[in-house]
Amino acid sequence: MTSGFFFTLLAPMVWGVMNVLDKYVIAHRVKSALGFTTVAAAVNLGIGVIFALCTSWTEVQLYDLSFPIAAGVLFAFQMVIYYLLMQKEDAANVVGLAYFYPLLVAFLSYFILGEIIAWYGYIGMAAVIIGVMLLSLRLHVLGLRAGLLLLIANTFATAAYEFLIKIAASHVSSLQGIALNQIAMGCTVLLLLLFKSVRKAAGYEYRKNWLWALLNETLTCFAIFFTYLAMKTIPVTIVTSVGAMQPLVVVGVEYFVSCFVPTIVRDKLTRYKWIAAILIVIGVILLSLSQNH
């Protein structure tokens, strides 16, 4: 149980560090976000193949495979959008605004899966909406660089991905799900190499930044791995609720890194991010608990 709580706390911390590292790499080391995304996708594809070789597939039906594969395809779209956003906006804003997706997942779960939301879940929804609105208003003041459609697309892609993962978890094992998810995501993103400009950019990014891609995606793999280790001994409700602290971790790590790399953030007034992150964390925790009521 103690180790489970350790991994429960460790997972969102790794996710938060990864988000800020992604921001540093994509904004300060990379020339082409799409080119780097294909390199990162190749790393994920390799990780997925390794996981696939470490599990048995004898009792899995073709129908069961469709859900994690579909989730991986959506993850591919989310990954491309995510890197394009990171090139333009602060990590805390991208992650914070994306946390509007639990509301969408809650609605989908209610209408499609029949999951009940307790009364305090609606308080959580309100807290998330206020936190997201605070970040949105702040971005409006600063001037949005990435484009509103990208931010909306990132939220909806994340929500759809999370929803499909919930369905996939009841059809395949965790190891099978991760393997199929990473393989499908990698193959989908690599379709970008059909475009000559992306192939040229990918060649440059591979030569210059393959180590960064390996580091970033290895952290992603560890974060997923720690989450599943936590779920072995800790109720999913607690793991999901504690995992909601990711926006706070991102704000804290971003602030720390900005002391050494000031250009990693556009918005120097961090109090808006702290307030928004706290509201979003509280809201997501209440919403998560209400769905498992």
Side-chain angles (χ1 to χ4, degrees):
M1 184 69 75
T2 303
S3 62
F5 275 114
F6 172 75
F7 289 122
T8 301
L9 292 171
L10 189 59
M13 292 181 183
V14 175
W15 281 117
V17 171
M18 182 208 70
N19 292 140
V20 179
L21 179 63
D22 283 341
K23 170 61 183 178
Y24 170 75
V25 173
I26 207 72
H28 294 82
R29 311 290 301 189
V30 168
K31 285 189 175 181
S32 168
L34 290 180
F36 183 77
T37 303
T38 60
V39 179
V43 173
N44 279 283
L45 176 58
I47 292 172
V49 170
I50 292 172
F51 279 132
L53 295 173
C54 295
T55 187
S56 172
W57 301 90
T58 54
E59 298 181 1
V60 181
Q61 303 297 319
L62 185 61
Y63 173 77
D64 297 324
L65 303 181
S66 62
F67 296 106
I69 290 174
V73 172
L74 279 170
F75 186 26
F77 285 102
Q78 192 272 336
M79 184 180 183
V80 172
I81 296 168
Y82 168 79
Y83 276 124
L84 290 173
L85 285 171
M86 282 293 188
Q87 204 169 35
K88 301 292 185 179
E89 304 294 346
D90 291 354
N93 290 337
V94 173
V95 174
L97 289 171
Y99 258 82
F100 189 76
Y101 81 85
L103 273 70
L104 301 178
V105 174
F107 283 121
L108 288 172
S109 299
Y110 177 78
F111 288 108
I112 297 178
L113 300 181
E115 294 184 357
I116 304 300
I117 301 174
W119 63 269
Y120 47 84
Y122 296 100
I123 299 176
M125 288 183 182
V128 171
I129 291 172
I130 293 171
V132 169
M133 286 181 62
L134 184 59
L135 285 178
S136 301
L137 290 171
R138 186 61 186 162
L139 277 175
H140 180 72
V141 172
L142 292 171
L144 191 62
R145 288 181 178 177
L148 181 61
L149 286 179
L150 273 182
L151 287 167
I152 294 173
N154 185 53
T155 301
F156 276 89
T158 305
Y161 166 70
E162 289 280 339
F163 181 68
L164 279 175
I165 286 295
K166 292 184 74 171
I167 299 176
S170 62
H171 289 268
V172 296
S173 69
S174 299
L175 198 58
Q176 291 168 341
I178 294 173
L180 291 171
N181 186 86
Q182 301 306 96
I183 291 173
M185 184 274 288
C187 290
T188 304
V189 173
L190 289 177
L191 290 176
L192 289 171
L193 294 176
L194 293 173
F195 298 94
K196 183 178 179 180
S197 59
V198 178
R199 287 200 303 273
K200 183 178 179 180
Y204 173 85
E205 297 301 340
Y206 173 75
R207 292 190 299 272
K208 296 293 184 180
N209 294 310
W210 70 270
L211 275 175
W212 285 109
L214 182 62
L215 175 60
N216 287 23
E217 302 314 312
T218 300
L219 277 177
T220 301
C221 182
F222 272 114
I224 296 171
F225 183 61
F226 291 151
T227 301
Y228 280 116
L229 283 177
M231 289 182 178
K232 284 186 176 181
T233 55
I234 302 297
V236 176
T237 304
I238 297 176
V239 175
T240 305
S241 300
V242 175
M245 64 185 274
Q246 183 182 343
L248 278 177
V249 175
V250 173
V251 174
V253 175
E254 185 184 70
Y255 177 77
F256 174 77
V257 174
S258 68
C259 296
F260 305 94
V261 188
T263 53
I264 201 171
V265 294
R266 292 175 59 205
D267 193 358
K268 306 300 181 183
L269 296 177
T270 57
R271 66 174 177 269
Y272 294 98
K273 295 176 182 178
W274 281 112
I275 295 171
I278 290 171
L279 285 170
I280 290 169
V281 168
I282 293 172
V284 173
I285 289 174
L286 289 174
L287 190 57
S288 174
L289 292 173
S290 71
Q291 285 183 282
N292 293 274
H293 180 67

mmCIF file of all heavy atoms in Angstrom, residues 69-114:
data_model
loop_
_atom_site.group_PDB
_atom_site.id
_atom_site.type_symbol
_atom_site.label_atom_id
_atom_site.label_comp_id
_atom_site.label_asym_id
_atom_site.label_seq_id
_atom_site.Cartn_x
_atom_site.Cartn_y
_atom_site.Cartn_z
ATOM 1 N N ILE A 69 -6.581 0.807 -30.173
ATOM 2 C CA ILE A 69 -6.047 1.296 -31.441
ATOM 3 C C ILE A 69 -6.669 2.650 -31.785
ATOM 4 O O ILE A 69 -5.974 3.594 -32.175
ATOM 5 C CB ILE A 69 -6.303 0.274 -32.572
ATOM 6 C CG1 ILE A 69 -5.435 -0.967 -32.357
ATOM 7 C CG2 ILE A 69 -6.018 0.899 -33.936
ATOM 8 C CD1 ILE A 69 -5.721 -2.088 -33.334
ATOM 9 N N ALA A 70 -7.995 2.749 -31.614
ATOM 10 C CA ALA A 70 -8.679 4.027 -31.873
ATOM 11 C C ALA A 70 -8.161 5.109 -30.922
ATOM 12 O O ALA A 70 -7.975 6.267 -31.319
ATOM 13 C CB ALA A 70 -10.183 3.854 -31.708
ATOM 14 N N ALA A 71 -7.923 4.726 -29.653
ATOM 15 C CA ALA A 71 -7.368 5.680 -28.683
ATOM 16 C C ALA A 71 -5.994 6.156 -29.129
ATOM 17 O O ALA A 71 -5.660 7.337 -29.005
ATOM 18 C CB ALA A 71 -7.280 5.023 -27.304
ATOM 19 N N GLY A 72 -5.192 5.236 -29.671
ATOM 20 C CA GLY A 72 -3.864 5.602 -30.147
ATOM 21 C C GLY A 72 -3.910 6.573 -31.314
ATOM 22 O O GLY A 72 -3.095 7.498 -31.400
ATOM 23 N N VAL A 73 -4.876 6.383 -32.210
ATOM 24 C CA VAL A 73 -5.036 7.300 -33.349
ATOM 25 C C VAL A 73 -5.398 8.695 -32.850
ATOM 26 O O VAL A 73 -4.849 9.706 -33.312
ATOM 27 C CB VAL A 73 -6.112 6.777 -34.324
ATOM 28 C CG1 VAL A 73 -6.416 7.808 -35.407
ATOM 29 C CG2 VAL A 73 -5.657 5.460 -34.955
ATOM 30 N N LEU A 74 -6.315 8.759 -31.887
ATOM 31 C CA LEU A 74 -6.676 10.063 -31.309
ATOM 32 C C LEU A 74 -5.500 10.684 -30.568
ATOM 33 O O LEU A 74 -5.297 11.899 -30.612
ATOM 34 C CB LEU A 74 -7.864 9.891 -30.359
ATOM 35 C CG LEU A 74 -9.232 9.819 -31.012
ATOM 36 C CD1 LEU A 74 -10.290 9.405 -30.005
ATOM 37 C CD2 LEU A 74 -9.609 11.165 -31.634
ATOM 38 N N PHE A 75 -4.736 9.829 -29.877
ATOM 39 C CA PHE A 75 -3.541 10.298 -29.164
ATOM 40 C C PHE A 75 -2.562 10.928 -30.148
ATOM 41 O O PHE A 75 -1.870 11.901 -29.828
ATOM 42 C CB PHE A 75 -2.899 9.125 -28.420
ATOM 43 C CG PHE A 75 -1.745 9.504 -27.538
ATOM 44 C CD1 PHE A 75 -1.626 10.771 -26.999
ATOM 45 C CD2 PHE A 75 -0.747 8.571 -27.242
ATOM 46 C CE1 PHE A 75 -0.566 11.117 -26.177
ATOM 47 C CE2 PHE A 75 0.322 8.905 -26.431
ATOM 48 C CZ PHE A 75 0.416 10.181 -25.898
ATOM 49 N N ALA A 76 -2.490 10.379 -31.367
ATOM 50 C CA ALA A 76 -1.596 10.921 -32.391
ATOM 51 C C ALA A 76 -1.979 12.359 -32.741
ATOM 52 O O ALA A 76 -1.124 13.246 -32.815
ATOM 53 C CB ALA A 76 -1.634 10.039 -33.636
ATOM 54 N N PHE A 77 -3.286 12.568 -32.966
ATOM 55 C CA PHE A 77 -3.757 13.925 -33.270
ATOM 56 C C PHE A 77 -3.484 14.869 -32.098
ATOM 57 O O PHE A 77 -3.055 16.009 -32.289
ATOM 58 C CB PHE A 77 -5.250 13.900 -33.602
ATOM 59 C CG PHE A 77 -5.557 13.344 -34.957
ATOM 60 C CD1 PHE A 77 -6.022 12.050 -35.109
ATOM 61 C CD2 PHE A 77 -5.371 14.114 -36.093
ATOM 62 C CE1 PHE A 77 -6.297 11.523 -36.362
ATOM 63 C CE2 PHE A 77 -5.640 13.606 -37.365
ATOM 64 C CZ PHE A 77 -6.103 12.305 -37.498
ATOM 65 N N GLN A 78 -3.736 14.381 -30.873
ATOM 66 C CA GLN A 78 -3.505 15.207 -29.694
ATOM 67 C C GLN A 78 -2.037 15.551 -29.546
ATOM 68 O O GLN A 78 -1.680 16.670 -29.166
ATOM 69 C CB GLN A 78 -4.014 14.468 -28.449
ATOM 70 C CG GLN A 78 -4.104 15.325 -27.199
ATOM 71 C CD GLN A 78 -2.796 15.362 -26.404
ATOM 72 O OE1 GLN A 78 -1.983 14.447 -26.507
ATOM 73 N NE2 GLN A 78 -2.605 16.410 -25.626
ATOM 74 N N MET A 79 -1.156 14.597 -29.872
ATOM 75 C CA MET A 79 0.281 14.819 -29.750
ATOM 76 C C MET A 79 0.760 15.905 -30.711
ATOM 77 O O MET A 79 1.551 16.786 -30.338
ATOM 78 C CB MET A 79 1.025 13.517 -30.028
ATOM 79 C CG MET A 79 2.530 13.589 -29.839
ATOM 80 S SD MET A 79 3.290 11.984 -30.188
ATOM 81 C CE MET A 79 5.006 12.343 -29.800
ATOM 82 N N VAL A 80 0.277 15.855 -31.958
ATOM 83 C CA VAL A 80 0.652 16.877 -32.948
ATOM 84 C C VAL A 80 0.183 18.258 -32.489
ATOM 85 O O VAL A 80 0.944 19.236 -32.518
ATOM 86 C CB VAL A 80 0.041 16.535 -34.328
ATOM 87 C CG1 VAL A 80 0.268 17.693 -35.305
ATOM 88 C CG2 VAL A 80 0.665 15.251 -34.876
ATOM 89 N N ILE A 81 -1.075 18.332 -32.051
ATOM 90 C CA ILE A 81 -1.634 19.612 -31.585
ATOM 91 C C ILE A 81 -0.869 20.109 -30.358
ATOM 92 O O ILE A 81 -0.557 21.303 -30.242
ATOM 93 C CB ILE A 81 -3.131 19.451 -31.262
ATOM 94 C CG1 ILE A 81 -3.910 19.106 -32.522
ATOM 95 C CG2 ILE A 81 -3.690 20.728 -30.632
ATOM 96 C CD1 ILE A 81 -5.332 18.646 -32.262
ATOM 97 N N TYR A 82 -0.557 19.182 -29.442
ATOM 98 C CA TYR A 82 0.145 19.514 -28.202
ATOM 99 C C TYR A 82 1.490 20.173 -28.478
ATOM 100 O O TYR A 82 1.826 21.217 -27.897
ATOM 101 C CB TYR A 82 0.319 18.238 -27.386
ATOM 102 C CG TYR A 82 1.259 18.328 -26.203
ATOM 103 C CD1 TYR A 82 0.852 18.896 -25.004
ATOM 104 C CD2 TYR A 82 2.550 17.811 -26.281
ATOM 105 C CE1 TYR A 82 1.712 18.956 -23.910
ATOM 106 C CE2 TYR A 82 3.410 17.863 -25.204
ATOM 107 C CZ TYR A 82 2.995 18.436 -24.018
ATOM 108 O OH TYR A 82 3.847 18.490 -22.944
ATOM 109 N N TYR A 83 2.266 19.606 -29.399
ATOM 110 C CA TYR A 83 3.576 20.181 -29.701
ATOM 111 C C TYR A 83 3.456 21.530 -30.411
ATOM 112 O O TYR A 83 4.265 22.438 -30.174
ATOM 113 C CB TYR A 83 4.405 19.210 -30.544
ATOM 114 C CG TYR A 83 5.127 18.169 -29.725
ATOM 115 C CD1 TYR A 83 4.951 16.806 -29.965
ATOM 116 C CD2 TYR A 83 5.995 18.548 -28.707
ATOM 117 C CE1 TYR A 83 5.608 15.852 -29.207
ATOM 118 C CE2 TYR A 83 6.668 17.601 -27.942
ATOM 119 C CZ TYR A 83 6.465 16.254 -28.193
ATOM 120 O OH TYR A 83 7.118 15.309 -27.426
ATOM 121 N N LEU A 84 2.452 21.677 -31.266
ATOM 122 C CA LEU A 84 2.241 22.969 -31.923
ATOM 123 C C LEU A 84 1.877 24.037 -30.894
ATOM 124 O O LEU A 84 2.317 25.193 -30.992
ATOM 125 C CB LEU A 84 1.132 22.847 -32.973
ATOM 126 C CG LEU A 84 1.477 22.022 -34.228
ATOM 127 C CD1 LEU A 84 0.237 21.837 -35.092
ATOM 128 C CD2 LEU A 84 2.587 22.699 -35.029
ATOM 129 N N LEU A 85 1.075 23.665 -29.889
ATOM 130 C CA LEU A 85 0.713 24.603 -28.835
ATOM 131 C C LEU A 85 1.913 24.964 -27.969
ATOM 132 O O LEU A 85 2.104 26.133 -27.604
ATOM 133 C CB LEU A 85 -0.395 23.998 -27.956
ATOM 134 C CG LEU A 85 -1.795 23.957 -28.539
ATOM 135 C CD1 LEU A 85 -2.722 23.145 -27.650
ATOM 136 C CD2 LEU A 85 -2.347 25.371 -28.703
ATOM 137 N N MET A 86 2.710 23.954 -27.618
ATOM 138 C CA MET A 86 3.872 24.193 -26.769
ATOM 139 C C MET A 86 4.879 25.141 -27.414
ATOM 140 O O MET A 86 5.637 25.826 -26.728
ATOM 141 C CB MET A 86 4.570 22.869 -26.434
ATOM 142 C CG MET A 86 3.867 22.068 -25.356
ATOM 143 S SD MET A 86 3.946 22.892 -23.740
ATOM 144 C CE MET A 86 3.279 21.614 -22.678
ATOM 145 N N GLN A 87 4.883 25.184 -28.726
ATOM 146 C CA GLN A 87 5.800 26.076 -29.429
ATOM 147 C C GLN A 87 5.408 27.539 -29.249
ATOM 148 O O GLN A 87 6.249 28.428 -29.355
ATOM 149 C CB GLN A 87 5.828 25.720 -30.919
ATOM 150 C CG GLN A 87 7.094 26.134 -31.629
ATOM 151 C CD GLN A 87 7.186 25.520 -33.017
ATOM 152 O OE1 GLN A 87 6.180 25.347 -33.712
ATOM 153 N NE2 GLN A 87 8.383 25.178 -33.451
ATOM 154 N N LYS A 88 4.126 27.772 -28.920
ATOM 155 C CA LYS A 88 3.623 29.146 -28.871
ATOM 156 C C LYS A 88 3.240 29.626 -27.474
ATOM 157 O O LYS A 88 3.393 30.808 -27.160
ATOM 158 C CB LYS A 88 2.387 29.270 -29.781
ATOM 159 C CG LYS A 88 2.626 28.928 -31.236
ATOM 160 C CD LYS A 88 3.524 29.926 -31.920
ATOM 161 C CE LYS A 88 3.648 29.613 -33.415
ATOM 162 N NZ LYS A 88 4.507 30.585 -34.103
ATOM 163 N N GLU A 89 2.728 28.724 -26.633
ATOM 164 C CA GLU A 89 2.159 29.131 -25.348
ATOM 165 C C GLU A 89 2.910 28.507 -24.173
ATOM 166 O O GLU A 89 3.653 27.532 -24.339
ATOM 167 C CB GLU A 89 0.677 28.733 -25.269
ATOM 168 C CG GLU A 89 -0.181 29.268 -26.405
ATOM 169 C CD GLU A 89 -0.303 30.783 -26.406
ATOM 170 O OE1 GLU A 89 0.044 31.411 -25.389
ATOM 171 O OE2 GLU A 89 -0.753 31.339 -27.421
ATOM 172 N N ASP A 90 2.708 29.056 -22.970
ATOM 173 C CA ASP A 90 3.333 28.526 -21.753
ATOM 174 C C ASP A 90 2.784 27.136 -21.442
ATOM 175 O O ASP A 90 1.600 26.851 -21.662
ATOM 176 C CB ASP A 90 3.065 29.450 -20.561
ATOM 177 C CG ASP A 90 3.803 30.773 -20.678
ATOM 178 O OD1 ASP A 90 4.610 30.929 -21.612
ATOM 179 O OD2 ASP A 90 3.560 31.650 -19.824
ATOM 180 N N ALA A 91 3.636 26.286 -20.885
ATOM 181 C CA ALA A 91 3.238 24.910 -20.555
ATOM 182 C C ALA A 91 2.057 24.896 -19.585
ATOM 183 O O ALA A 91 1.127 24.090 -19.730
ATOM 184 C CB ALA A 91 4.419 24.153 -19.962
ATOM 185 N N ALA A 92 2.085 25.776 -18.579
ATOM 186 C CA ALA A 92 1.018 25.810 -17.575
ATOM 187 C C ALA A 92 -0.329 26.149 -18.212
ATOM 188 O O ALA A 92 -1.367 25.612 -17.819
ATOM 189 C CB ALA A 92 1.349 26.819 -16.482
ATOM 190 N N ASN A 93 -0.316 27.046 -19.191
ATOM 191 C CA ASN A 93 -1.564 27.423 -19.857
ATOM 192 C C ASN A 93 -2.088 26.281 -20.728
ATOM 193 O O ASN A 93 -3.294 26.013 -20.747
ATOM 194 C CB ASN A 93 -1.344 28.669 -20.716
ATOM 195 C CG ASN A 93 -1.115 29.913 -19.880
ATOM 196 O OD1 ASN A 93 -1.525 29.972 -18.721
ATOM 197 N ND2 ASN A 93 -0.435 30.893 -20.434
ATOM 198 N N VAL A 94 -1.200 25.624 -21.452
ATOM 199 C CA VAL A 94 -1.613 24.518 -22.322
ATOM 200 C C VAL A 94 -2.207 23.385 -21.495
ATOM 201 O O VAL A 94 -3.296 22.873 -21.784
ATOM 202 C CB VAL A 94 -0.424 23.999 -23.160
ATOM 203 C CG1 VAL A 94 -0.824 22.735 -23.932
ATOM 204 C CG2 VAL A 94 0.052 25.075 -24.127
ATOM 205 N N VAL A 95 -1.494 22.981 -20.433
ATOM 206 C CA VAL A 95 -1.959 21.880 -19.585
ATOM 207 C C VAL A 95 -3.220 22.282 -18.826
ATOM 208 O O VAL A 95 -4.173 21.507 -18.718
ATOM 209 C CB VAL A 95 -0.856 21.445 -18.603
ATOM 210 C CG1 VAL A 95 -1.380 20.393 -17.625
ATOM 211 C CG2 VAL A 95 0.341 20.892 -19.363
ATOM 212 N N GLY A 96 -3.236 23.509 -18.291
ATOM 213 C CA GLY A 96 -4.385 23.977 -17.529
ATOM 214 C C GLY A 96 -5.648 24.022 -18.358
ATOM 215 O O GLY A 96 -6.709 23.534 -17.944
ATOM 216 N N LEU A 97 -5.563 24.591 -19.562
ATOM 217 C CA LEU A 97 -6.731 24.678 -20.433
ATOM 218 C C LEU A 97 -7.183 23.296 -20.899
ATOM 219 O O LEU A 97 -8.384 23.046 -21.063
ATOM 220 C CB LEU A 97 -6.416 25.564 -21.645
ATOM 221 C CG LEU A 97 -6.273 27.064 -21.344
ATOM 222 C CD1 LEU A 97 -5.740 27.798 -22.556
ATOM 223 C CD2 LEU A 97 -7.603 27.659 -20.914
ATOM 224 N N ALA A 98 -6.222 22.396 -21.099
ATOM 225 C CA ALA A 98 -6.579 21.040 -21.530
ATOM 226 C C ALA A 98 -7.370 20.309 -20.456
ATOM 227 O O ALA A 98 -8.121 19.370 -20.761
ATOM 228 C CB ALA A 98 -5.320 20.244 -21.875
ATOM 229 N N TYR A 99 -7.228 20.729 -19.182
ATOM 230 C CA TYR A 99 -7.930 20.054 -18.098
ATOM 231 C C TYR A 99 -9.418 20.375 -18.061
ATOM 232 O O TYR A 99 -10.115 19.987 -17.124
ATOM 233 C CB TYR A 99 -7.277 20.364 -16.747
ATOM 234 C CG TYR A 99 -6.421 19.206 -16.279
ATOM 235 C CD1 TYR A 99 -5.134 19.045 -16.758
ATOM 236 C CD2 TYR A 99 -6.910 18.243 -15.422
ATOM 237 C CE1 TYR A 99 -4.345 17.969 -16.377
ATOM 238 C CE2 TYR A 99 -6.147 17.163 -15.025
ATOM 239 C CZ TYR A 99 -4.864 17.035 -15.505
ATOM 240 O OH TYR A 99 -4.117 15.966 -15.136
ATOM 241 N N PHE A 100 -9.902 21.048 -19.098
ATOM 242 C CA PHE A 100 -11.344 21.166 -19.292
ATOM 243 C C PHE A 100 -11.927 19.828 -19.753
ATOM 244 O O PHE A 100 -13.122 19.586 -19.632
ATOM 245 C CB PHE A 100 -11.639 22.246 -20.342
ATOM 246 C CG PHE A 100 -13.091 22.614 -20.476
ATOM 247 C CD1 PHE A 100 -13.693 23.412 -19.524
ATOM 248 C CD2 PHE A 100 -13.856 22.157 -21.538
ATOM 249 C CE1 PHE A 100 -15.040 23.755 -19.629
ATOM 250 C CE2 PHE A 100 -15.187 22.493 -21.657
ATOM 251 C CZ PHE A 100 -15.779 23.295 -20.701
ATOM 252 N N TYR A 101 -11.040 18.941 -20.243
ATOM 253 C CA TYR A 101 -11.506 17.672 -20.803
ATOM 254 C C TYR A 101 -12.216 16.757 -19.798
ATOM 255 O O TYR A 101 -13.090 15.975 -20.215
ATOM 256 C CB TYR A 101 -10.351 16.916 -21.476
ATOM 257 C CG TYR A 101 -9.464 16.136 -20.546
ATOM 258 C CD1 TYR A 101 -9.806 14.848 -20.154
ATOM 259 C CD2 TYR A 101 -8.271 16.667 -20.065
ATOM 260 C CE1 TYR A 101 -8.991 14.123 -19.302
ATOM 261 C CE2 TYR A 101 -7.456 15.954 -19.229
ATOM 262 C CZ TYR A 101 -7.818 14.679 -18.848
ATOM 263 O OH TYR A 101 -7.002 13.967 -17.999
ATOM 264 N N PRO A 102 -11.889 16.778 -18.469
ATOM 265 C CA PRO A 102 -12.655 15.901 -17.575
ATOM 266 C C PRO A 102 -14.159 16.168 -17.600
ATOM 267 O O PRO A 102 -14.951 15.247 -17.372
ATOM 268 C CB PRO A 102 -12.060 16.209 -16.191
ATOM 269 C CG PRO A 102 -10.657 16.635 -16.480
ATOM 270 C CD PRO A 102 -10.782 17.435 -17.748
ATOM 271 N N LEU A 103 -14.541 17.417 -17.873
ATOM 272 C CA LEU A 103 -15.964 17.719 -17.978
ATOM 273 C C LEU A 103 -16.572 16.999 -19.174
ATOM 274 O O LEU A 103 -17.660 16.419 -19.085
ATOM 275 C CB LEU A 103 -16.186 19.234 -18.121
ATOM 276 C CG LEU A 103 -16.289 20.053 -16.829
ATOM 277 C CD1 LEU A 103 -14.932 20.110 -16.139
ATOM 278 C CD2 LEU A 103 -16.771 21.459 -17.137
ATOM 279 N N LEU A 104 -15.857 17.014 -20.278
ATOM 280 C CA LEU A 104 -16.352 16.342 -21.478
ATOM 281 C C LEU A 104 -16.416 14.832 -21.267
ATOM 282 O O LEU A 104 -17.382 14.186 -21.682
ATOM 283 C CB LEU A 104 -15.439 16.673 -22.669
ATOM 284 C CG LEU A 104 -15.297 18.157 -23.014
ATOM 285 C CD1 LEU A 104 -14.320 18.335 -24.175
ATOM 286 C CD2 LEU A 104 -16.654 18.751 -23.385
ATOM 287 N N VAL A 105 -15.388 14.284 -20.615
ATOM 288 C CA VAL A 105 -15.376 12.850 -20.327
ATOM 289 C C VAL A 105 -16.534 12.483 -19.401
ATOM 290 O O VAL A 105 -17.187 11.447 -19.567
ATOM 291 C CB VAL A 105 -14.034 12.424 -19.700
ATOM 292 C CG1 VAL A 105 -14.072 10.953 -19.264
ATOM 293 C CG2 VAL A 105 -12.893 12.640 -20.684
ATOM 294 N N ALA A 106 -16.797 13.352 -18.409
ATOM 295 C CA ALA A 106 -17.904 13.101 -17.473
ATOM 296 C C ALA A 106 -19.237 13.054 -18.204
ATOM 297 O O ALA A 106 -20.080 12.180 -17.952
ATOM 298 C CB ALA A 106 -17.924 14.184 -16.401
ATOM 299 N N PHE A 107 -19.449 13.983 -19.134
ATOM 300 C CA PHE A 107 -20.695 13.999 -19.893
ATOM 301 C C PHE A 107 -20.820 12.765 -20.786
ATOM 302 O O PHE A 107 -21.888 12.148 -20.871
ATOM 303 C CB PHE A 107 -20.792 15.271 -20.738
ATOM 304 C CG PHE A 107 -21.160 16.491 -19.947
ATOM 305 C CD1 PHE A 107 -20.320 17.592 -19.904
ATOM 306 C CD2 PHE A 107 -22.356 16.544 -19.239
ATOM 307 C CE1 PHE A 107 -20.651 18.716 -19.170
ATOM 308 C CE2 PHE A 107 -22.710 17.675 -18.506
ATOM 309 C CZ PHE A 107 -21.845 18.760 -18.466
ATOM 310 N N LEU A 108 -19.730 12.396 -21.454
ATOM 311 C CA LEU A 108 -19.747 11.209 -22.307
ATOM 312 C C LEU A 108 -20.015 9.951 -21.482
ATOM 313 O O LEU A 108 -20.775 9.074 -21.888
ATOM 314 C CB LEU A 108 -18.406 11.079 -23.048
ATOM 315 C CG LEU A 108 -18.143 12.083 -24.170
ATOM 316 C CD1 LEU A 108 -16.710 11.949 -24.666
ATOM 317 C CD2 LEU A 108 -19.120 11.884 -25.324
ATOM 318 N N SER A 109 -19.366 9.873 -20.316
ATOM 319 C CA SER A 109 -19.547 8.716 -19.440
ATOM 320 C C SER A 109 -20.983 8.622 -18.926
ATOM 321 O O SER A 109 -21.523 7.528 -18.771
ATOM 322 C CB SER A 109 -18.576 8.797 -18.257
ATOM 323 O OG SER A 109 -17.236 8.798 -18.703
ATOM 324 N N TYR A 110 -21.589 9.774 -18.666
ATOM 325 C CA TYR A 110 -22.961 9.802 -18.155
ATOM 326 C C TYR A 110 -23.963 9.352 -19.229
ATOM 327 O O TYR A 110 -24.830 8.504 -18.982
ATOM 328 C CB TYR A 110 -23.304 11.211 -17.675
ATOM 329 C CG TYR A 110 -24.730 11.355 -17.186
ATOM 330 C CD1 TYR A 110 -25.107 10.901 -15.922
ATOM 331 C CD2 TYR A 110 -25.694 11.937 -17.997
ATOM 332 C CE1 TYR A 110 -26.420 11.028 -15.478
ATOM 333 C CE2 TYR A 110 -27.009 12.073 -17.563
ATOM 334 C CZ TYR A 110 -27.359 11.616 -16.301
ATOM 335 O OH TYR A 110 -28.661 11.733 -15.878
ATOM 336 N N PHE A 111 -23.832 9.903 -20.437
ATOM 337 C CA PHE A 111 -24.816 9.634 -21.473
ATOM 338 C C PHE A 111 -24.584 8.314 -22.202
ATOM 339 O O PHE A 111 -25.532 7.705 -22.696
ATOM 340 C CB PHE A 111 -24.827 10.785 -22.490
ATOM 341 C CG PHE A 111 -25.446 12.042 -21.962
ATOM 342 C CD1 PHE A 111 -24.655 13.145 -21.661
ATOM 343 C CD2 PHE A 111 -26.811 12.126 -21.748
ATOM 344 C CE1 PHE A 111 -25.228 14.304 -21.163
ATOM 345 C CE2 PHE A 111 -27.396 13.283 -21.251
ATOM 346 C CZ PHE A 111 -26.595 14.371 -20.962
ATOM 347 N N ILE A 112 -23.324 7.862 -22.296
ATOM 348 C CA ILE A 112 -23.030 6.644 -23.056
ATOM 349 C C ILE A 112 -22.819 5.432 -22.151
ATOM 350 O O ILE A 112 -23.347 4.352 -22.403
ATOM 351 C CB ILE A 112 -21.789 6.860 -23.953
ATOM 352 C CG1 ILE A 112 -22.082 7.968 -24.976
ATOM 353 C CG2 ILE A 112 -21.417 5.557 -24.675
ATOM 354 C CD1 ILE A 112 -20.915 8.299 -25.870
ATOM 355 N N LEU A 113 -22.047 5.625 -21.063
ATOM 356 C CA LEU A 113 -21.745 4.504 -20.173
ATOM 357 C C LEU A 113 -22.682 4.428 -18.982
ATOM 358 O O LEU A 113 -22.642 3.463 -18.217
ATOM 359 C CB LEU A 113 -20.291 4.607 -19.679
ATOM 360 C CG LEU A 113 -19.205 4.586 -20.765
ATOM 361 C CD1 LEU A 113 -17.829 4.673 -20.133
ATOM 362 C CD2 LEU A 113 -19.321 3.345 -21.635
ATOM 363 N N GLY A 114 -23.513 5.462 -18.787
ATOM 364 C CA GLY A 114 -24.474 5.446 -17.695
ATOM 365 C C GLY A 114 -23.862 5.697 -16.324
ATOM 366 O O GLY A 114 -24.476 5.362 -15.306
#
